Amino acid sequence: AEYKAGYDKLTADNSEQKAQLDKASADAAEFKAGYDKLTADHFEQREQLNKAAADAAEFKAGYDKLCVDTAEQQAQLDKASADAAEFKAGYDKYAADAAEYKAGYDKLTADNSEQKAQLDKASADAAEFKAGYDKLTADHFEQREQL
């Protein structure tokens, strides 16, 4: 009976140890599952961080391109402004030359009109002189006939 009581105690202890071992195994499995989830979460967060870093790099590249494009457009605008100023200077010179040409043309026209008036006066004087000469010649012939 003592042997059986020892055996029963040993069996009970064995069952208790088996239960503790099963609980420890379950705890270890639960801990491993938690560790595996933590590891998976860590890698997922690392992937998200890597994606965020890639997105940030892509955004920065886009921003840098936008800055370059803006600078290029500003340079084109500056060139267009310079070209417009150069064109305006050329136009202003053309307008000044045209005004100078018109002033010269107006002076030439005035000089021409003055010379025409002088020519008309000289023609009138010559006609008057010829009329006087013709009269003198006629008078001369008339006096000769009378002689």
Side-chain angles (χ1 to χ4, degrees), residues 74-86:
Q74 182 64 48
Q76 290 173 351
L77 181 61
D78 291 346
K79 183 178 183 320
S81 295
D83 290 350
E86 186 178 329

Side-chain angles (χ1 to χ4, degrees), residues 2 9 23-24 27-29 40 42 44 48-49 57 62-64 69 85 89 99-100 102 111 113 124 129 132 136 139:
E2 191 180 313
K9 183 174 182 327
K23 184 177 181 322
D27 288 349
H42 171 74
E44 186 178 323
Q48 289 174 354
L49 182 61
Y63 177 77
D64 290 347
D69 290 350
E100 188 177 323
K102 178 158 182 354
D111 290 350
S113 295
F129 177 77
L136 190 63
D139 287 350

Side-chain angles (χ1 to χ4, degrees), residues 59-96:
F59 176 79
K60 181 167 183 337
Y63 177 77
D64 290 347
K65 183 177 182 324
L66 181 66
C67 289
V68 168
D69 290 350
T70 300
E72 186 177 314
Q73 288 176 352
Q74 182 64 48
Q76 290 173 351
L77 181 61
D78 291 346
K79 183 178 183 320
S81 295
D83 290 350
E86 186 178 329
F87 176 78
K88 181 170 181 336
Y91 178 79
D92 290 347
K93 182 178 182 328
Y94 169 77

Side-chain angles (χ1 to χ4, degrees), residues 74-136:
Q74 182 64 48
Q76 290 173 351
L77 181 61
D78 291 346
K79 183 178 183 320
S81 295
D83 290 350
E86 186 178 329
F87 176 78
K88 181 170 181 336
Y91 178 79
D92 290 347
K93 182 178 182 328
Y94 169 77
D97 289 350
E100 188 177 323
Y101 174 78
K102 178 158 182 354
Y105 177 78
D106 290 348
K107 183 177 181 329
L108 186 63
T109 302
D111 290 350
N112 230 4
S113 295
E114 188 179 323
Q115 288 176 357
K116 170 105 171 61
Q118 290 172 357
L119 180 61
D120 288 348
K121 184 177 180 321
S123 294
D125 289 349
E128 189 178 325
F129 177 77
K130 181 168 184 325
Y133 177 77
D134 287 348
K135 183 173 182 328
L136 190 63

Side-chain angles (χ1 to χ4, degrees), residues 12-75:
D13 287 347
N14 208 10
S15 291
E16 188 179 321
Q17 286 179 355
K18 170 103 171 67
Q20 288 175 355
L21 181 60
D22 288 347
K23 184 177 181 322
S25 292
D27 288 349
E30 188 178 326
F31 177 78
K32 182 170 184 329
Y35 176 79
D36 289 347
K37 183 177 183 327
L38 189 64
T39 302
D41 289 349
H42 171 74
F43 282 113
E44 186 178 323
Q45 287 176 353
R46 176 170 284 199
E47 283 179 24
Q48 289 174 354
L49 182 61
N50 289 343
K51 184 179 182 319
D55 289 349
E58 186 177 329
F59 176 79
K60 181 167 183 337
Y63 177 77
D64 290 347
K65 183 177 182 324
L66 181 66
C67 289
V68 168
D69 290 350
T70 300
E72 186 177 314
Q73 288 176 352
Q74 182 64 48

